[in-house]
């Protein structure tokens, strides 16, 4: 899935930032988010997880999933 993930990351920038976490090197993080299967996609909005999906996917699947559950719109500026 690595090549699909890399392509999706390029396509989704700058509205989304895709990151990889090595759960063997970061077991505390894996436990915090209850990651039990690899690969695991998680979408965070405002620093909070909003949806997750286990299993491999192609580029189209990753992009579609992110756009379905996220927002391509940048946050609006706070009025003065």
């Amino acid at each position: 899935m690595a090549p699909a993930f890399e392509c999706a990351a390029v396509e989704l920038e700058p509205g989304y930032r895709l990151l990889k976490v090595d759960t063997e090197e970061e077991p505390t993080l894996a436990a915090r988010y209850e990651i039990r299967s690899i690969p695991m996609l998680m979408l965070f909005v405002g620093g909070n997880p909003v949806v997750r999906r286990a299993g491999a996917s192609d580029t189209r699947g990753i992009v579609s999933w992110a756009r379905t559950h996220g927002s391509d719109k940048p946050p609006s500026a706070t009025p003065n």
Side-chain angles (χ1 to χ4, degrees):
M1 187 169 126
F5 186 84
E6 298 297 327
C7 290
V10 170
E11 187 170 336
L12 288 166
E13 281 284 344
Y16 297 82
R17 178 74 38 101
L18 272 61
L19 305 170
K20 292 182 192 179
V21 174
D22 183 338
T23 56
E24 290 183 16
E25 299 238 350
E26 298 292 340
T28 304
L29 191 61
R32 177 179 177 183
Y33 292 108
E34 300 176 353
I35 298 171
R36 293 188 176 88
S37 63
I38 304 297
M40 171 69 67
L41 297 176
M42 297 181 73
L43 181 67
F44 288 74
V45 175
N48 299 306
V50 294
V51 68
R52 57 195 290 148
R53 173 178 148 186
S57 186
D58 62 9
T59 301
R60 284 281 114 228
I62 296 168
V63 170
S64 174
W65 176 82
R67 289 186 173 150
T68 296
H69 297 288
S71 171
D72 284 333
K73 299 175 186 170
S76 59
T78 306
N80 293 336

Coordinates of all heavy atoms in Angstrom, one line a residue:
M1 N 0.8 -1.2 0.0 CA 0.0 0.0 0.0 C 0.9 1.3 0.0 O 0.4 2.3 -0.3 CB -0.9 0.0 1.2 CG -1.9 1.1 1.2 SD -3.2 0.9 2.4 CE -3.1 2.5 3.3
A2 N 2.1 1.1 0.3 CA 3.0 2.3 0.4 C 3.0 3.2 -0.9 O 2.8 4.4 -0.7 CB 4.4 1.9 0.7
P3 N 3.1 2.7 -2.1 CA 3.0 3.5 -3.3 C 1.7 4.3 -3.4 O 1.6 5.5 -3.7 CB 3.2 2.6 -4.4 CG 3.9 1.4 -3.9 CD 3.4 1.3 -2.5
A4 N 0.6 3.6 -3.1 CA -0.7 4.2 -3.1 C -0.8 5.3 -2.1 O -1.4 6.4 -2.4 CB -1.8 3.2 -2.9
F5 N -0.3 5.1 -0.9 CA -0.3 6.1 0.2 C 0.5 7.3 -0.2 O 0.0 8.5 0.0 CB 0.3 5.5 1.4 CG 0.2 6.3 2.6 CD1 -0.9 6.3 3.4 CD2 1.3 7.1 3.0 CE1 -1.0 7.1 4.6 CE2 1.2 7.9 4.1 CZ 0.1 7.9 4.9
E6 N 1.6 7.1 -0.8 CA 2.5 8.2 -1.3 C 1.8 9.1 -2.4 O 1.8 10.3 -2.3 CB 3.8 7.8 -1.8 CG 4.7 7.0 -0.8 CD 5.1 7.9 0.4 OE1 5.3 9.1 0.2 OE2 5.2 7.4 1.5
C7 N 1.1 8.4 -3.3 CA 0.4 9.1 -4.4 C -0.8 9.9 -3.8 O -1.0 11.0 -4.2 CB -0.1 8.2 -5.4 SG 1.3 7.5 -6.4
A8 N -1.5 9.3 -2.9 CA -2.6 9.9 -2.2 C -2.2 11.2 -1.4 O -2.8 12.2 -1.5 CB -3.4 9.0 -1.3
A9 N -1.0 11.1 -0.8 CA -0.5 12.2 0.0 C -0.3 13.4 -0.9 O -0.6 14.5 -0.6 CB 0.8 11.8 0.7
V10 N 0.3 13.1 -2.1 CA 0.6 14.2 -3.0 C -0.7 14.8 -3.5 O -0.9 16.0 -3.6 CB 1.4 13.7 -4.2 CG1 1.5 14.7 -5.3 CG2 2.8 13.3 -3.7
E11 N -1.7 14.0 -3.9 CA -3.0 14.4 -4.4 C -3.8 15.2 -3.4 O -4.5 16.2 -3.7 CB -3.8 13.3 -4.9 CG -5.0 13.7 -5.6 CD -5.7 12.5 -6.3 OE1 -5.1 11.5 -6.7 OE2 -6.9 12.7 -6.6
L12 N -3.7 14.8 -2.1 CA -4.5 15.5 -1.1 C -3.9 16.8 -0.5 O -4.6 17.5 0.1 CB -4.8 14.5 0.0 CG -5.8 13.4 -0.3 CD1 -5.7 12.3 0.7 CD2 -7.2 13.9 -0.5
E13 N -2.6 17.0 -0.7 CA -2.0 18.2 -0.2 C -2.6 19.4 -0.9 O -3.0 19.3 -2.1 CB -0.5 18.2 -0.4 CG 0.3 17.4 0.6 CD 0.4 18.0 1.9 OE1 0.2 19.2 2.0 OE2 0.7 17.3 2.9
P14 N -2.8 20.6 -0.3 CA -2.4 20.9 1.0 C -3.6 20.7 2.0 O -3.4 21.0 3.2 CB -2.0 22.4 0.9 CG -3.0 22.9 -0.1 CD -3.1 21.8 -1.1
G15 N -4.7 20.3 1.6 CA -5.9 20.2 2.4 C -5.8 19.1 3.5 O -6.4 19.2 4.5
Y16 N -5.0 18.1 3.2 CA -4.8 17.0 4.1 C -3.3 16.7 4.2 O -2.5 16.9 3.3 CB -5.4 15.7 3.6 CG -6.9 15.8 3.4 CD1 -7.5 16.4 2.3 CD2 -7.8 15.3 4.4 CE1 -8.9 16.5 2.2 CE2 -9.2 15.4 4.3 CZ -9.7 16.0 3.1 OH -11.1 16.0 3.0
R17 N -2.9 16.2 5.4 CA -1.5 15.8 5.6 C -1.5 14.4 6.0 O -2.1 14.0 7.0 CB -0.9 16.7 6.7 CG 0.5 16.4 7.1 CD 1.6 16.9 6.2 NE 1.3 18.1 5.6 CZ 1.9 19.3 5.9 NH1 2.7 19.3 6.9 NH2 1.6 20.4 5.2
L18 N -0.9 13.5 5.2 CA -0.8 12.1 5.5 C 0.5 11.8 6.1 O 1.5 12.2 5.7 CB -1.0 11.3 4.2 CG -2.4 10.9 3.7 CD1 -3.2 12.2 3.4 CD2 -2.4 10.0 2.5
L19 N 0.4 11.0 7.2 CA 1.6 10.6 8.0 C 1.6 9.1 8.2 O 0.5 8.5 8.3 CB 1.5 11.3 9.4 CG 1.4 12.8 9.4 CD1 1.1 13.3 10.8 CD2 2.6 13.5 8.8
K20 N 2.8 8.6 8.3 CA 2.9 7.2 8.7 C 3.5 7.1 10.1 O 4.3 7.9 10.5 CB 3.9 6.5 7.7 CG 3.4 6.4 6.3 CD 4.5 5.6 5.5 CE 4.2 5.7 4.0 NZ 5.3 5.1 3.3
V21 N 3.0 6.1 10.8 CA 3.5 5.8 12.2 C 4.0 4.4 12.2 O 3.2 3.5 11.9 CB 2.5 6.1 13.3 CG1 3.0 5.7 14.6 CG2 2.0 7.6 13.2
D22 N 5.2 4.2 12.7 CA 5.7 2.8 12.9 C 5.3 2.4 14.3 O 5.8 2.8 15.3 CB 7.2 2.8 12.8 CG 7.8 1.5 12.9 OD1 7.2 0.6 13.5 OD2 9.0 1.3 12.5
T23 N 4.2 1.6 14.4 CA 3.7 1.2 15.6 C 4.6 0.3 16.5 O 4.4 0.3 17.7 CB 2.3 0.4 15.4 OG1 2.5 -0.7 14.6 CG2 1.3 1.4 14.8
E24 N 5.6 -0.3 15.9 CA 6.6 -1.1 16.6 C 7.5 -0.1 17.4 O 8.0 -0.4 18.5 CB 7.3 -2.0 15.8 CG 6.5 -3.2 15.3 CD 7.2 -4.2 14.5 OE1 8.5 -4.2 14.5 OE2 6.6 -5.0 13.8
E25 N 7.8 1.0 16.7 CA 8.6 2.1 17.4 C 7.9 3.0 18.3 O 8.4 3.6 19.1 CB 9.3 2.9 16.3 CG 10.2 2.1 15.4 CD 11.7 2.5 15.4 OE1 11.9 3.6 15.9 OE2 12.5 1.8 14.8
E26 N 6.5 3.0 18.1 CA 5.7 3.9 18.9 C 4.5 3.1 19.5 O 3.3 3.4 19.2 CB 5.1 5.0 18.0 CG 6.2 5.9 17.4 CD 6.8 6.8 18.4 OE1 6.3 7.0 19.5 OE2 7.9 7.3 18.1
P27 N 4.8 2.2 20.4 CA 3.7 1.3 20.9 C 2.8 2.1 21.8 O 1.6 1.7 21.9 CB 4.5 0.3 21.7 CG 5.8 0.9 22.0 CD 6.1 1.8 20.9
T28 N 3.2 3.2 22.4 CA 2.3 4.0 23.3 C 1.3 4.7 22.4 O 0.1 4.7 22.7 CB 3.1 5.0 24.1 OG1 4.1 4.3 24.8 CG2 2.2 5.8 25.0
L29 N 1.7 5.2 21.3 CA 0.8 5.8 20.3 C -0.2 4.8 19.8 O -1.4 5.0 19.7 CB 1.5 6.5 19.2 CG 0.8 7.4 18.3 CD1 0.2 8.6 19.1 CD2 1.7 7.9 17.2
A30 N 0.3 3.6 19.4 CA -0.6 2.5 18.9 C -1.6 2.1 20.0 O -2.8 2.0 19.6 CB 0.3 1.3 18.5
A31 N -1.2 2.1 21.2 CA -2.2 1.7 22.3 C -3.2 2.8 22.5 O -4.4 2.6 22.7 CB -1.4 1.4 23.6
R32 N -2.7 4.1 22.5 CA -3.6 5.2 22.7 C -4.8 5.2 21.7 O -5.9 5.5 22.0 CB -2.8 6.5 22.5 CG -3.6 7.8 22.7 CD -2.7 9.0 22.6 NE -3.5 10.2 22.6 CZ -3.0 11.4 22.5 NH1 -1.7 11.6 22.3 NH2 -3.8 12.4 22.5
Y33 N -4.5 4.9 20.4 CA -5.5 4.9 19.4 C -6.0 3.5 19.0 O -6.7 3.4 18.0 CB -4.9 5.6 18.1 CG -4.7 7.1 18.4 CD1 -3.5 7.6 18.5 CD2 -5.8 8.0 18.6 CE1 -3.3 9.0 18.8 CE2 -5.6 9.3 18.8 CZ -4.4 9.8 18.9 OH -4.2 11.1 19.2
E34 N -5.7 2.6 19.9 CA -6.2 1.2 19.7 C -6.0 0.6 18.3 O -6.9 0.0 17.7 CB -7.7 1.1 20.1 CG -7.9 1.6 21.5 CD -9.4 1.6 21.9 OE1 -10.3 1.4 21.0 OE2 -9.7 1.8 23.1
I35 N -4.8 0.8 17.8 CA -4.4 0.3 16.5 C -4.0 -1.2 16.7 O -3.0 -1.5 17.3 CB -3.2 1.1 15.9 CG1 -3.7 2.5 15.7 CG2 -2.8 0.4 14.6 CD1 -2.6 3.5 15.3
R36 N -4.8 -2.1 16.1 CA -4.6 -3.5 16.3 C -4.3 -4.2 14.9 O -4.0 -5.4 14.9 CB -5.8 -4.1 17.0 CG -5.9 -3.7 18.4 CD -7.0 -4.4 19.1 NE -7.0 -4.0 20.5 CZ -7.8 -3.0 21.0 NH1 -8.5 -2.3 20.2 NH2 -7.8 -2.7 22.3
S37 N -4.6 -3.5 13.8 CA -4.3 -4.1 12.5 C -3.6 -3.0 11.7 O -3.7 -1.8 11.9 CB -5.6 -4.5 11.9 OG -6.4 -3.4 11.6
I38 N -2.8 -3.6 10.8 CA -2.0 -2.7 9.9 C -2.3 -3.1 8.5 O -2.3 -4.3 8.2 CB -0.5 -2.9 10.2 CG1 -0.2 -2.6 11.6 CG2 0.4 -2.0 9.3 CD1 -0.4 -1.2 12.1
P39 N -2.5 -2.2 7.5 CA -2.6 -0.8 7.8 C -3.9 -0.3 8.4 O -4.9 -0.9 8.3 CB -2.4 -0.2 6.3 CG -3.0 -1.2 5.5 CD -2.7 -2.6 6.1
M40 N -3.8 0.8 9.1 CA -4.9 1.5 9.7 C -4.9 3.0 9.2 O -3.9 3.6 9.4 CB -4.8 1.4 11.2 CG -5.9 2.2 11.9 SD -7.5 1.6 11.8 CE -7.4 0.1 12.7
L41 N -6.0 3.4 8.6 CA -6.1 4.8 8.3 C -7.0 5.5 9.3 O -8.0 4.9 9.7 CB -6.8 5.0 6.9 CG -6.1 4.4 5.7 CD1 -6.9 4.6 4.4 CD2 -4.7 5.1 5.5
M42 N -6.5 6.6 9.8 CA -7.3 7.4 10.7 C -7.3 8.9 10.2 O -6.3 9.4 9.8 CB -6.6 7.4 12.1 CG -6.6 6.0 12.7 SD -5.9 6.0 14.4 CE -7.2 6.7 15.3
L43 N -8.5 9.5 10.3 CA -8.7 10.8 9.9 C -8.9 11.7 11.2 O -9.7 11.4 12.0 CB -9.9 11.0 9.0 CG -10.1 12.4 8.4 CD1 -9.0 12.8 7.5 CD2 -11.4 12.5 7.7
F44 N -8.0 12.7 11.3 CA -8.1 13.6 12.4 C -8.6 15.0 11.9 O -8.1 15.4 10.9 CB -6.7 13.8 13.1 CG -6.3 12.6 13.8 CD1 -5.8 11.5 13.2 CD2 -6.2 12.6 15.2 CE1 -5.4 10.4 13.9 CE2 -5.8 11.6 15.9 CZ -5.4 10.4 15.3
V45 N -9.5 15.6 12.7 CA -9.9 16.9 12.4 C -9.8 17.7 13.7 O -10.3 17.3 14.7 CB -11.4 17.0 11.9 CG1 -11.9 18.4 11.7 CG2 -11.5 16.2 10.6
G46 N -9.1 18.8 13.6 CA -8.8 19.6 14.8 C -8.1 18.9 15.9 O -8.3 19.1 17.1
G47 N -7.2 17.9 15.5 CA -6.4 17.2 16.4 C -7.2 16.0 17.0 O -6.6 15.3 17.9
N48 N -8.4 15.7 16.6 CA -9.2 14.6 17.2 C -9.5 13.6 16.1 O -9.9 14.0 15.0 CB -10.5 15.2 17.8 CG -10.2 16.1 18.9 OD1 -9.5 15.8 19.9 ND2 -10.8 17.3 18.8
P49 N -9.4 12.3 16.4 CA -9.8 11.3 15.4 C -11.3 11.3 15.2 O -12.1 11.4 16.1 CB -9.3 10.0 16.1 CG -9.3 10.3 17.5 CD -9.0 11.7 17.7
V50 N -11.7 11.3 13.9 CA -13.1 11.3 13.6 C -13.6 10.0 12.9 O -14.7 9.7 13.0 CB -13.5 12.6 12.7 CG1 -13.3 13.8 13.5 CG2 -12.7 12.6 11.5
V51 N -12.7 9.4 12.2 CA -13.0 8.1 11.6 C -11.8 7.3 11.3 O -10.7 7.8 11.2 CB -13.8 8.4 10.2 CG1 -12.9 9.0 9.2 CG2 -14.4 7.1 9.7
R52 N -11.9 6.0 11.3 CA -10.8 5.1 11.0 C -11.2 4.0 10.1 O -12.4 3.6 10.0 CB -10.3 4.5 12.4 CG -11.3 3.8 13.2 CD -10.9 3.6 14.6 NE -9.9 2.6 14.7 CZ -8.9 2.6 15.7 NH1 -9.0 3.6 16.6 NH2 -8.0 1.7 15.7
R53 N -10.2 3.4 9.5 CA -10.5 2.3 8.5 C -9.3 1.4 8.5 O -8.2 1.8 8.3 CB -10.8 2.9 7.1 CG -10.9 1.9 6.0 CD -11.2 2.6 4.8 NE -10.6 2.0 3.6 CZ -10.6 2.4 2.4 NH1 -11.1 3.6 2.2 NH2 -10.1 1.7 1.4
A54 N -9.5 0.1 8.7 CA -8.5 -0.9 8.6 C -8.4 -1.5 7.2 O -9.4 -1.7 6.6 CB -8.7 -2.0 9.6
G55 N -7.2 -1.9 6.8 CA -7.0 -2.6 5.5 C -6.4 -1.8 4.4 O -6.4 -0.6 4.5
A56 N -5.8 -2.5 3.5 CA -5.1 -1.8 2.4 C -6.1 -1.2 1.4 O -7.3 -1.6 1.3 CB -4.2 -2.8 1.7
S57 N -5.6 -0.2 0.7 CA -6.5 0.5 -0.3 C -5.6 1.0 -1.4 O -4.4 1.2 -1.2 CB -7.2 1.6 0.4 OG -8.1 2.2 -0.5
D58 N -6.1 1.3 -2.6 CA -5.4 1.9 -3.6 C -5.5 3.4 -3.5 O -6.2 3.9 -2.6 CB -5.9 1.5 -5.0 CG -7.3 1.8 -5.3 OD1 -8.0 2.5 -4.5 OD2 -7.9 1.3 -6.3
T59 N -4.8 4.2 -4.3 CA -4.8 5.6 -4.3 C -6.2 6.2 -4.3 O -6.6 7.1 -3.5 CB -3.9 6.2 -5.4 OG1 -2.6 5.7 -5.3 CG2 -3.9 7.7 -5.3
R60 N -7.0 5.8 -5.3 CA -8.4 6.3 -5.4 C -9.2 6.1 -4.1 O -9.9 6.9 -3.7 CB -9.1 5.6 -6.6 CG -8.7 6.1 -7.9 CD -9.4 7.5 -8.3 NE -8.3 8.5 -8.3 CZ -8.3 9.7 -7.8 NH1 -9.3 10.1 -7.1 NH2 -7.3 10.5 -7.9
G61 N -9.0 4.9 -3.5 CA -9.7 4.6 -2.3 C -9.3 5.4 -1.2 O -10.2 5.9 -0.4
I62 N -8.1 5.7 -1.0 CA -7.6 6.6 0.1 C -8.1 8.0 -0.1 O -8.6 8.6 0.8 CB -6.0 6.5 0.2 CG1 -5.5 5.1 0.5 CG2 -5.5 7.6 1.2 CD1 -4.0 4.9 0.3
V63 N -8.0 8.5 -1.3 CA -8.4 9.9 -1.6 C -9.9 10.0 -1.4 O -10.4 11.0 -0.7 CB -8.0 10.3 -3.0 CG1 -8.6 11.6 -3.4 CG2 -6.4 10.4 -3.1
S64 N -10.6 9.1 -1.9 CA -12.1 9.1 -1.8 C -12.5 9.1 -0.3 O -13.4 9.8 0.1 CB -12.7 8.0 -2.6 OG -14.1 7.9 -2.4
W65 N -11.9 8.2 0.4 CA -12.2 8.0 1.8 C -11.9 9.3 2.6 O -12.8 9.8 3.4 CB -11.4 6.8 2.4 CG -11.6 6.6 3.9 CD1 -12.6 6.0 4.5 CD2 -10.7 7.1 4.9 NE1 -12.4 6.0 5.9 CE2 -11.2 6.7 6.1 CE3 -9.5 7.8 4.9 CZ2 -10.6 7.0 7.3 CZ3 -8.9 8.1 6.1 CH2 -9.5 7.7 7.3
A66 N -10.8 9.9 2.4 CA -10.4 11.1 3.1 C -11.4 12.3 2.7 O -11.9 13.0 3.6 CB -9.0 11.5 2.7
R67 N -11.7 12.4 1.5 CA -12.6 13.5 1.1 C -14.0 13.3 1.5 O -14.7 14.2 1.8 CB -12.5 13.7 -0.4 CG -11.2 14.3 -0.8 CD -11.1 14.7 -2.3 NE -9.9 15.4 -2.6 CZ -9.3 15.4 -3.7 NH1 -9.7 14.6 -4.7 NH2 -8.2 16.1 -3.9
T68 N -14.4 12.0 1.6 CA -15.8 11.7 2.1 C -16.0 12.1 3.6 O -17.0 12.6 3.9 CB -16.1 10.2 1.9 OG1 -16.1 10.0 0.5 CG2 -17.5 9.9 2.5
H69 N -14.9 11.8 4.3 CA -15.0 12.0 5.8 C -14.4 13.3 6.3 O -14.6 13.7 7.5 CB -14.4 10.8 6.5 CG -15.1 9.6 6.2 ND1 -16.4 9.3 6.7 CD2 -14.8 8.5 5.4 CE1 -16.7 8.1 6.3 NE2 -15.8 7.6 5.5
G70 N -13.7 14.0 5.4 CA -13.0 15.3 5.9 C -13.6 16.4 5.1 O -14.8 16.4 4.7
S71 N -12.9 17.5 5.1 CA -13.3 18.7 4.4 C -12.1 19.3 3.6 O -11.0 19.4 4.1 CB -13.8 19.7 5.4 OG -14.0 20.9 4.8
D72 N -12.4 19.6 2.3 CA -11.3 20.2 1.5 C -11.3 21.7 1.7 O -10.4 22.4 1.2 CB -11.5 19.9 0.0 CG -11.2 18.5 -0.3 OD1 -10.3 17.9 0.3 OD2 -11.7 18.0 -1.3
K73 N -12.2 22.2 2.5 CA -12.3 23.7 2.7 C -11.3 24.0 3.9 O -11.4 23.4 4.9 CB -13.7 24.1 3.1 CG -14.7 23.8 2.0 CD -16.1 24.1 2.5 CE -17.1 23.7 1.4 NZ -18.4 23.8 1.9
P74 N -10.5 25.1 3.7 CA -9.6 25.5 4.8 C -10.5 26.2 5.9 O -11.6 26.7 5.6 CB -8.7 26.5 4.1 CG -9.4 27.0 2.9 CD -10.3 25.8 2.5
P75 N -10.1 26.1 7.1 CA -10.9 26.8 8.2 C -11.1 28.2 7.9 O -10.1 28.9 7.4 CB -10.0 26.6 9.4 CG -8.8 25.8 9.1 CD -8.8 25.6 7.6
S76 N -12.2 28.8 8.2 CA -12.5 30.2 7.9 C -11.8 31.0 9.0 O -11.6 30.6 10.1 CB -14.0 30.4 7.9 OG -14.6 30.1 9.1
A77 N -11.5 32.2 8.6 CA -10.8 33.2 9.5 C -11.9 33.6 10.5 O -13.0 33.8 10.2 CB -10.3 34.3 8.7
T78 N -11.4 33.8 11.7 CA -12.3 34.3 12.8 C -12.5 35.8 12.5 O -11.6 36.6 12.4 CB -11.6 34.1 14.2 OG1 -11.3 32.8 14.3 CG2 -12.6 34.6 15.3
P79 N -13.8 36.2 12.5 CA -14.1 37.7 12.3 C -13.6 38.5 13.5 O -13.6 38.0 14.6 CB -15.6 37.7 12.2 CG -16.1 36.4 12.4 CD -15.0 35.4 12.6
N80 N -13.2 39.7 13.2 CA -12.7 40.6 14.3 C -13.8 41.2 15.1 O -14.9 41.5 14.7 CB -11.9 41.8 13.7 CG -10.6 41.2 13.1 OD1 -10.1 40.2 13.5 ND2 -10.0 41.9 12.2

